[in-house]
């Protein structure tokens, strides 16, 4: 299989002129904003929110709160399963670059941030729905997420990834509305107050199969904790500015997509249960259709089944069986 499962990466700048590539999932937060008559205004306002949040968190030696700006690139990872040049778009993440206008230099930000995956759409919107339809009130299949986890780990170990990125990705997502979070006494100078929960969510378990651990932190000025998925040590492997680049980018997207949680008018308490039914929140001035996004997830899951899972099923099963489990688990 040495000529199979070949990874390649490409990047495209996420700015006010961004147009989604044909291979980009339309449910992806950055792609969703770049559609319709308000696309350019959406993008411009989103980038302004990211920059403002970054400067608010990186406040030292920054009295006018305009020292930094953040550039965002979309990293697309493709995988050629048979080694014949026919690659499938497996994963998209974001890479940030910090521009320090005071020192006139560019600084690497976080790789990861958002996480887009057609195979995840297939798992959650096809496999899981069919399983619960046939077996209501049961646990997900035991092998749920196994293939996706191994594909992700294969990407991280690939020559294509390691030639372009020095560190493992940190994915920053919303906390789960199905779980309750408890504030701890642990506080990080950038990530803020840590929250913990007694039981992992289905998303947490899914990302664990990707070799990623999760911790929940609520940065200063945030309304709710964020979930940080990482391999290694979140607190020592990344610089303050890298962590701030992840917070400012992903909290901005969450304020747009989940304002009930992340743009709430009051902050999470000692015991916190996230809810999309919460009414005391503010809307951003950015147009977004959440209902359309959920419908597209099912369509894109079916697309993955037809274009990737079924055509390569035998190869995928043989390859997955040959891979070590949790090779990159912390």
């Amino acid at each position: 299989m040495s000529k199979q499962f070949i990874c390649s990466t490409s990047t495209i700048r996420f700015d006010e002129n961004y147009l989604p590539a044909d291979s980009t999932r339309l449910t992806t937060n950055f792609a969703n904003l770049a559609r319709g008559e308000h696309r350019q205004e959406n993008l411009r306002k989103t980038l302004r929110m990211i920059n403002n949040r970054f400067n608010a968190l990186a406040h030292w030696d920054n009295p006018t709160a305009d020292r930094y700006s953040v550039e965002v690139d979309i990293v697309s990872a493709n995988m050629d399963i048979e080694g014949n040049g026919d690659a499938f778009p497996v994963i998209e993440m974001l890479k940030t670059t910090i521009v320090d206008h005071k020192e006139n230099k560019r600084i690497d930000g976080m790789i990861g941030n958002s996480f887009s995956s057609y195979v995840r759409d297939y798992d959650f919107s096809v496999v899981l729905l069919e399983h619960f339809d046939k077996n209501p009130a049961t646990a997900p299949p035991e092998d749920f997420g196994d293939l996706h986890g191994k594909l992700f780990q294969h990407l991280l170990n690939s020559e294509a990834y390691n030639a372009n990125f020095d560190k493992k990705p940190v994915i920053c997502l919303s906390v789960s509305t199905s779980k309750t979070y408890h504030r701890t006494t642990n506080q990080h100078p950038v990530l803020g107050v840590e929250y913990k929960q007694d039981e992992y969510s289905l998303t947490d378990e899914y990302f664990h199969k990707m070799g990623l651990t999760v911790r929940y932190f609520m940065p200063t000025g945030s309304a709710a904790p964020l979930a940080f998925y990482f391999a290694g040590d979140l607190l020592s492997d990344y610089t303050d500015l890298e962590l701030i680049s992840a917070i400012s980018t992903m909290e901005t997207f969450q304020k747009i997509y989940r304002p009930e949680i992340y743009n709430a008018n009051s902050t999470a308490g000692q015991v916190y249960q996230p809810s999309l039914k919460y009414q005391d929140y503010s809307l951003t001035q950015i147009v977004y259709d959440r209902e359309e996004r959920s419908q597209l997830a099912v369509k894109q899951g079916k697309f993955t089944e037809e274009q990737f899972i079924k055509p390569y099923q035998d190869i995928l099963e043989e390859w997955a069986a040959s891979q070590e489990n949790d090779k990159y688990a912390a």
Side-chain angles (χ1 to χ4, degrees):
M1 291 197 177
S2 60
K3 292 184 179 180
Q4 296 176 342
F5 291 80
I6 300 170
C7 297
S8 60
T9 63
S10 61
T11 61
I12 183 172
R13 177 60 50 86
F14 177 74
D15 57 19
E16 63 183 58
N17 298 312
Y18 165 69
L19 288 170
D22 291 339
S23 60
T24 295
R25 289 166 62 248
L26 295 179
T27 56
T28 303
N29 44 27
F30 46 81
N32 187 274
L33 293 176
R35 302 169 64 207
E37 59 178 316
H38 301 286
R39 56 170 300 278
Q40 196 163 48
E41 186 178 2
N42 278 348
L43 297 171
R44 193 178 295 122
K45 288 179 178 178
T46 300
L47 293 166
R48 188 181 304 126
M49 286 175 65
I50 292 171
N51 288 337
N52 288 343
R53 183 61 169 136
F54 188 99
N55 282 289
L57 288 168
H59 51 78
W60 59 93
D61 293 334
N62 189 9
T64 54
D66 60 358
R67 174 172 175 171
Y68 301 101
S69 58
V70 180
E71 295 177 354
V72 182
D73 287 302
I74 301 163
V75 178
S76 300
N78 301 308
M79 197 170 291
D80 184 348
I81 299 299
E82 294 184 299
N84 59 8
D86 186 12
F88 186 82
V90 178
I91 286 166
E92 282 185 316
M93 297 182 287
L94 298 179
K95 172 69 171 70
T96 57
T97 301
I98 304 150
V99 181
D100 183 340
H101 299 286
K102 179 182 177 181
E103 298 295 332
N104 193 28
K105 64 180 181 181
R106 298 166 61 81
I107 305 164
D108 280 340
M110 192 69 77
I111 171 67
N113 301 289
S114 179
F115 184 79
S116 169
S117 165
Y118 275 114
V119 178
R120 186 171 64 156
D121 272 347
Y122 167 72
D123 280 339
F124 278 89
S125 299
V126 177
V127 174
L128 202 60
L129 291 184
E130 290 179 355
H131 171 79
F132 287 146
D133 185 54
K134 297 176 182 176
N135 308 280
T138 63
E142 188 175 342
D143 62 351
F144 180 71
D146 284 0
L147 173 62
H148 182 267
K150 291 173 182 178
L151 290 171
F152 179 76
Q153 293 176 10
H154 181 69
L155 169 65
L156 295 197
N157 199 40
S158 70
E159 181 179 345
Y161 183 89
N162 289 286
N164 290 285
F165 309 107
D166 295 329
K167 297 184 179 182
K168 295 291 189 285
V170 173
I171 311 299
C172 182
L173 303 180
S174 169
V175 286
S176 172
T177 56
S178 67
K179 302 301 176 185
T180 300
Y181 299 83
H182 301 266
R183 186 184 297 177
T184 72
T185 57
N186 189 39
Q187 184 163 357
H188 184 271
V190 169
L191 292 169
V193 178
E194 184 167 20
Y195 278 72
K196 290 190 175 180
Q197 57 161 312
D198 297 331
E199 183 183 23
Y200 286 139
S201 69
L202 183 57
T203 297
D204 296 339
E205 298 286 2
Y206 193 80
F207 274 76
H208 179 70
K209 290 191 174 184
M210 295 161 57
L212 302 181
T213 302
V214 64
R215 293 178 74 171
Y216 317 94
F217 285 92
M218 185 168 73
T220 300
S222 298
L226 292 157
F228 295 87
Y229 298 89
F230 59 93
D233 189 331
L234 179 66
L235 305 191
S236 63
D237 291 348
Y238 304 92
T239 67
D240 286 351
L241 292 183
E242 284 176 316
L243 293 173
I244 291 173
S245 72
I247 295 166
S248 59
T249 301
M250 295 314 298
E251 188 178 85
T252 292
F253 285 129
Q254 296 298 350
K255 284 182 176 180
I256 297 167
Y257 297 128
R258 291 194 157 190
E260 301 92 338
I261 297 174
Y262 291 97
N263 218 29
N265 294 326
S266 57
T267 60
Q270 190 78 25
V271 178
Y272 179 59
Q273 169 75 64
S275 174
L276 293 177
K277 297 180 180 179
Y278 187 67
Q279 296 298 310
D280 186 19
Y281 64 92
S282 299
L283 289 172
T284 65
Q285 298 177 358
I286 296 171
V287 178
Y288 164 61
D289 188 338
R290 187 157 62 194
E291 183 177 351
E292 180 197 40
R293 191 169 186 245
S294 63
Q295 294 170 348
L296 284 170
V298 176
K299 294 180 181 178
Q300 292 174 166
K302 292 289 188 181
F303 166 81
T304 307
E305 182 178 38
E306 295 168 2
Q307 300 295 320
F308 184 69
I309 300 297
K310 286 184 175 179
Y312 300 116
Q313 187 166 7
D314 292 342
I315 297 174
L316 289 170
E317 289 177 356
E318 181 184 356
W319 175 83
S322 72
Q323 302 302 297
E324 296 179 32
N325 290 325
D326 298 327
K327 182 183 288 186
Y328 300 101

